[in-house]
Amino acid sequence: QVGWSDEIYRIFGLDRATFDPTVDDAVALYLEEDRGGMEAALERCFVEGVGYKLRSRVHRADGEIRMVEAQADCERGADGEVASVFGVFRDITDEEGSKRQLADSESRYRLLADRSSDLVLCHRVDGTLTYVSPSIGRYGLEREAVVGRSLLEFVHPDDRPMLMDHLVAYLTSGAQGDMPPVRFRALGPGGLMRWFESR
């Protein structure tokens, strides 16, 4: 016997009054390419009592394909055999779409940054560098040796307070306002000093 919540019926676009699913009915709603994974997970659950967490694609009643996440565990009876399977089921289509858009956006950004003659840096709020464009090599530094270190390590000590004030002002403005560029001195290998304009 299969019991679905109203939300699962909504996800599939089905009506409780006209659709009373069996396990086979439920599995049949999965795309053929994803169905085998769900069947294997259910069999292992029923036979071995091992839960699962799967991301798969399903057909809605209107033909739309949605990405879902099913997570389940098993409940054993007094005889130790699996008596029931229970869990949660959610539609993650929009969430996955947002992740893909973000990944695509980051990929395009990195493509541009990697080919830029300007020096492009990404850093956390605490100043730890997470990305440095290849153009850092023009200043005698290796990317691998810079990523993970603090941006302030490379800034002239006299300019650090000013740069920090600029970053704090940018962050407290909601990182949205048009901030004027800031100029500071940076120290390279051998103490070589260069002026940079950052925006």
Side-chain angles (χ1 to χ4, degrees):
Q1 181 181 358
V2 176
W4 280 0
S5 67
D6 291 340
E7 178 64 10
I8 296 179
Y9 276 98
R10 189 199 65 76
I11 290 172
F12 281 113
L14 294 166
D15 187 343
R16 184 186 292 276
T18 58
F19 188 77
D20 186 17
T22 65
V23 172
D24 289 341
D25 292 334
V27 171
L29 293 168
Y30 284 77
L31 263 65
E32 190 172 349
E33 308 92 273
D34 295 354
R35 203 173 297 155
M38 177 52 72
E39 289 172 334
L42 283 172
E43 183 175 358
R44 191 166 180 222
C45 203
F46 294 148
V47 176
E48 301 176 34
V50 178
Y52 61 84
K53 183 176 182 179
L54 285 177
R55 292 187 172 201
S56 313
R57 293 162 298 166
V58 297
H59 290 286
R60 276 177 47 89
D62 59 8
E64 183 183 0
I65 295 174
R66 305 292 289 180
M67 175 71 78
V68 298
E69 181 179 81
Q71 184 171 0
D73 209 342
C74 304
E75 189 172 55
R76 295 181 183 272
D79 60 359
E81 296 296 319
V82 175
S84 64
V85 177
F86 61 93
V88 293
F89 188 84
R90 65 189 188 103
D91 186 335
I92 59 170
T93 308
D94 296 337
E95 179 184 315
E96 289 297 301
S98 296
K99 285 181 182 176
R100 275 196 305 274
Q101 286 179 347
L102 184 62
D104 290 346
S105 176
E106 183 176 347
S107 177
R108 286 192 296 271
Y109 163 75
R110 287 191 181 267
L111 182 66
L112 291 172
D114 283 350
R115 285 155 179 75
S116 173
S117 59
D118 288 342
L119 182 57
V120 179
L121 308 173
C122 291
H123 59 81
R124 297 192 185 101
V125 176
D126 66 3
T128 303
L129 291 160
T130 58
Y131 171 82
V132 181
S133 63
S135 55
I136 191 78
R138 295 189 321 185
Y139 307 104
L141 294 167
E142 296 291 330
R143 295 169 75 181
E144 296 76 16
V146 174
V147 172
R149 294 168 62 183
S150 171
L151 168 66
L152 295 179
E153 286 185 46
F154 303 96
V155 176
H156 192 286
D158 294 344
D159 293 347
R160 289 174 189 170
M162 174 270 300
L163 183 60
M164 283 303 300
D165 288 345
H166 181 82
L167 291 172
V168 168
Y170 178 67
L171 291 170
T172 54
S173 72
Q176 295 181 21
D178 282 335
M179 296 286 291
V182 60
R183 293 186 176 186
F184 62 91
R185 290 164 291 176
L187 300 173
L192 179 65
M193 187 180 73
R194 292 178 182 268
W195 277 95
F196 281 88
E197 180 179 86
S198 175
R199 62 178 68 238

